[in-house]
Amino acid sequence: MASQSLDTESGDRAASKVPILLLKTRSTPSDAYEEILTTSKPKNESLGRKFDPQFVPVLRHRFDEGGMQRTRSLLQANEIGDRPGCRYGGMIFTSQRAVEAFTKVVNDERGGHGESPFLQNTPIYSVGPATTRALRAIQVEPPLQIFGEHTGNGEALAAYIQQHYGQWYRDREVRPPLLFLVGEQRRDVIPRVLMDPSLPQGERIIVDEEVIYGTGVMKSFSEEFESILNDTRHEPERWVVVFSPTGCDTMLRGLGLLDESSEKVNLEHRDGRTFIATIGPTTRAHLVNRFGFEPDVCAESPSPDGILHGITKFTTSRT
């Protein structure tokens, strides 16, 4: 009887948790989303509800050898730096995957020549804390000079670059171009803002995008997502957090929301207990424009705190 009682209590505790399906690969050795969502107390704690984050990997990443070789050639030729005559005066990163590819380029280059690439006194712009942590992990001497961690999204980073980069090269009439390492799928907000034709020529900044990695949907995603949906089908509330436009169609199809004939979401098929949050405006815009679906939450900042705040705010407004 005692064993049965313990099993019942354990089951009650598990049932009290709100499943949050994170459509991403778990970061190692620790994942900030898992840590914050597991330890934070949601607004509906009075109802005995806590979060149970579960990872469902979606993206398969591959380095773009052409883009990596072109980046490697720029480093070998010392074409990225603050010296007059350099092709680029700085770099932009808005993706951890771009940092991973760049890290490989740096390590390969350093291994071949026994020295670090020439990036001293070169501003490196990063969109947020996760990307910044990845950049700071690159072992070069002196360390990379990284700016923009506080911005959190492309619009804010572009505005920050306009001000900061202008000061960095205030002694030049024309600011040198920036090199932006990107994936195949990305927003154009940073180049669009910095190269806006309406800006005075002296304030305009040329941004050259170099595709350094590509993405695709993992073959296992559909089955794993379906399995977790089945495991959580009796929960009174569950969340799906989407981190990229890639795989959105598979996600919507798995939830039974996608009308195959029109490839649009049929809102009548929503179950009233499965809610969707996006990490930011890019993925939200993709869901709205491609599938006619407005997610329940769009994080104000692309971070664990942004997701947590959006979910708890939404839950509070409903209760």
Side-chain angles (χ1 to χ4, degrees), residues 165-207:
Y165 200 64
Q167 285 297 311
W168 193 277
Y169 290 106
R170 58 184 177 274
D171 59 335
R172 301 192 192 182
E173 291 185 9
V174 178
R175 304 169 191 177
L178 282 162
L179 178 63
F180 187 9
L181 299 187
V182 299
E184 290 175 334
Q185 298 185 28
R186 73 276 186 187
R187 296 178 71 199
D188 65 348
V189 61
I190 291 178
R192 182 161 40 84
V193 170
L194 297 181
M195 295 192 295
D196 187 345
S198 67
L199 290 172
Q201 186 172 359
E203 297 180 15
R204 209 174 306 154
I205 304 171
I206 294 174
V207 178

Side-chain angles (χ1 to χ4, degrees), residues 109-153:
E109 174 63 12
R110 184 172 48 192
H113 296 272
E115 58 184 17
S116 301
F118 195 90
L119 290 173
Q120 293 93 324
N121 301 318
T122 304
I124 308 294
Y125 295 104
S126 171
V127 75
T131 304
T132 301
R133 281 194 299 270
L135 283 167
R136 285 182 177 145
I138 300 177
Q139 300 297 311
V140 293
E141 287 295 336
L144 299 178
Q145 298 192 55
I146 306 165
F147 306 95
E149 175 183 359
H150 64 284
T151 55
N153 59 62

Side-chain angles (χ1 to χ4, degrees), residues 15-247:
S16 71
K17 294 182 179 180
V18 178
I20 297 187
L21 314 186
L22 302 168
L23 304 191
K24 66 184 287 290
T25 301
R26 183 182 184 277
S27 300
T28 57
S30 62
D31 190 282
Y33 287 89
E34 183 177 39
E35 291 177 357
I36 288 181
L37 292 172
T38 301
T39 59
S40 297
K41 295 181 179 181
K43 296 290 185 180
N44 57 354
E45 177 100 39
S46 59
L47 302 178
R49 306 289 280 164
K50 293 185 178 181
F51 296 123
D52 176 25
Q54 302 177 45
F55 295 90
V56 192
V58 178
L59 299 180
R60 172 182 53 83
H61 299 281
R62 55 174 175 74
F63 295 146
D64 186 293
E65 291 301 328
M68 292 181 71
Q69 181 54 49
R70 286 186 289 272
T71 303
R72 187 177 295 112
S73 298
L74 289 170
L75 293 176
Q76 290 173 346
N78 289 341
E79 289 283 7
I80 307 173
D82 69 339
R83 304 175 321 286
C86 279
R87 183 171 176 180
Y88 297 105
M91 301 181 71
I92 304 172
F93 291 88
T94 59
S95 162
Q96 293 181 65
R97 301 302 176 187
V99 177
E100 288 177 10
F102 183 65
T103 301
K104 178 172 172 52
V105 169
V106 169
N107 289 340
D108 289 349
E109 174 63 12
R110 184 172 48 192
H113 296 272
E115 58 184 17
S116 301
F118 195 90
L119 290 173
Q120 293 93 324
N121 301 318
T122 304
I124 308 294
Y125 295 104
S126 171
V127 75
T131 304
T132 301
R133 281 194 299 270
L135 283 167
R136 285 182 177 145
I138 300 177
Q139 300 297 311
V140 293
E141 287 295 336
L144 299 178
Q145 298 192 55
I146 306 165
F147 306 95
E149 175 183 359
H150 64 284
T151 55
N153 59 62
E155 290 85 348
L157 180 60
Y160 175 78
I161 291 173
Q162 280 185 316
Q163 182 273 327
H164 185 272
Y165 200 64
Q167 285 297 311
W168 193 277
Y169 290 106
R170 58 184 177 274
D171 59 335
R172 301 192 192 182
E173 291 185 9
V174 178
R175 304 169 191 177
L178 282 162
L179 178 63
F180 187 9
L181 299 187
V182 299
E184 290 175 334
Q185 298 185 28
R186 73 276 186 187
R187 296 178 71 199
D188 65 348
V189 61
I190 291 178
R192 182 161 40 84
V193 170
L194 297 181
M195 295 192 295
D196 187 345
S198 67
L199 290 172
Q201 186 172 359
E203 297 180 15
R204 209 174 306 154
I205 304 171
I206 294 174
V207 178
D208 285 347
E209 294 179 302
E210 182 65 72
V211 175
I212 201 168
Y213 73 95
T215 58
V217 179
M218 294 183 68
K219 293 182 179 179
S220 62
F221 170 57
S222 179
E223 289 185 5
E224 291 187 16
F225 186 54
E226 182 179 350
S227 176
I228 292 184
L229 287 177
N230 185 61
D231 291 343
T232 59
R233 66 188 184 279
H234 297 306
E235 295 291 340
E237 177 188 355
R238 62 183 178 182
W239 283 84
V240 178
V241 181
V242 191
F243 291 80
S244 166
T246 304

